[in-house]
């Protein structure tokens, strides 16, 4: 898994330098953090309102996006981590829709499970950062059901000229 991430980052960084005609709105790295909005406000199906946060780092190159993330939800002893390759519609615009596939793992105190999720994002971009809403449909292999969640967050752009 680490080798795959390293190879993808290496290949993507090489394409960044070979495509100097692209603008900074279309090619950049980003780091972000977010929160599950339902769990933070009213609680979930098995928990009271509590912090369920995500941390991510990613790369954008015009219509392609890839990010690695970590999610922690201590109230139910849940962690998730994975890699999300995806695509971006309307790169370089203020309002940018995006979608990705999450290839991930769910870690519980008793076992680690593979997991899969489909994500749809609505982003609003400013010069050096963007805010987002992300809808997620995750196959919760730790309990064998599908879970729909909505996250909100902010990402900082960096690494462009």
């Amino acid at each position: 898994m680490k080798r795959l991430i390293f190879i993808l980052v290496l290949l993507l960084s090489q394409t960044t330098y070979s495509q100097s005609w692209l603008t900074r709105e279309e090619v950049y790295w980003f780091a972000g953090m977010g929160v599950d909005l339902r769990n933070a406000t009213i609680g979930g199906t098995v928990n009271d309102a509590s912090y369920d946060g995500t941390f991510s780092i990613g790369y954008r190159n015009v219509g392609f996006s890839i990010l690695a993330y970590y999610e922690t939800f201590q109230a139910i002893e849940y962690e998730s981590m994975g890699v999300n390759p995806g695509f971006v519609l309307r790169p370089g615009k203020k309002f940018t829709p995006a979608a990705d596939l999450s290839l991930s793992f769910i870690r519980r105190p008793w076992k680690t499970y593979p997991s899969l999720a489909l994500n749809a994002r609505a982003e609003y971009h400013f010069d050096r950062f963007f805010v987002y809403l992300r809808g997620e449909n995750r196959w919760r292999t730790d309990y064998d059901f599908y879970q729909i969640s909505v996250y909100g967050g902010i990402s900082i752009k960096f690494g462009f000229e």
Side-chain angles (χ1 to χ4, degrees):
M1 183 71 139
K2 289 180 184 179
R3 289 181 186 171
L4 175 64
I5 294 171
F6 176 75
I7 290 169
L8 287 172
V9 169
L10 184 63
L11 289 173
L12 293 173
S13 64
Q14 294 302 314
T15 59
T16 301
Y17 295 116
S18 66
Q19 297 176 347
S20 60
W21 54 272
L22 298 173
T23 66
R24 70 180 184 170
E25 291 86 12
E26 297 169 329
V27 179
Y28 55 87
W29 291 88
F30 60 93
M33 56 190 300
V35 66
D36 184 313
L37 298 174
R38 183 186 66 184
N39 283 328
T41 55
I42 61 172
T45 55
V46 296
N47 60 281
D48 293 330
S50 56
Y51 175 75
D52 175 5
T54 63
F55 304 93
S56 60
I57 186 162
Y59 175 76
R60 288 266 170 89
N61 191 334
V62 190
F64 176 76
S65 177
I66 189 161
L67 66 89
Y69 80 93
Y70 172 74
E71 178 181 3
T72 180
F73 191 6
Q74 293 179 355
I76 63 168
E77 298 179 305
Y78 173 95
E79 291 177 301
S80 177
M81 62 213 73
V83 177
N84 299 14
F87 62 92
V88 179
L89 302 173
R90 299 174 35 113
K93 304 292 184 187
K94 290 278 187 194
F95 177 74
T96 305
D100 59 52
L101 177 67
S102 179
L103 309 169
S104 56
F105 291 96
I106 294 173
R107 188 165 65 189
R108 301 303 295 254
W110 56 89
K111 193 174 175 183
T112 300
Y113 304 85
S115 185
L116 190 63
L118 297 173
N119 296 299
R121 299 168 61 101
E123 302 171 351
Y124 192 83
H125 288 253
F126 298 91
D127 189 34
R128 301 276 182 178
F129 70 97
F130 60 93
V131 294
Y132 67 86
L133 282 175
R134 174 174 60 92
E136 174 185 83
N137 185 4
R138 175 170 299 281
W139 179 27
R140 288 285 305 272
T141 52
D142 54 337
Y143 289 122
D144 199 26
F145 67 89
Y146 285 91
Q147 176 76 39
I148 295 175
S149 301
V150 177
Y151 295 83
I154 185 169
S155 291
I156 307 298
K157 301 176 188 180
F158 61 93
F160 50 81
E161 299 173 4

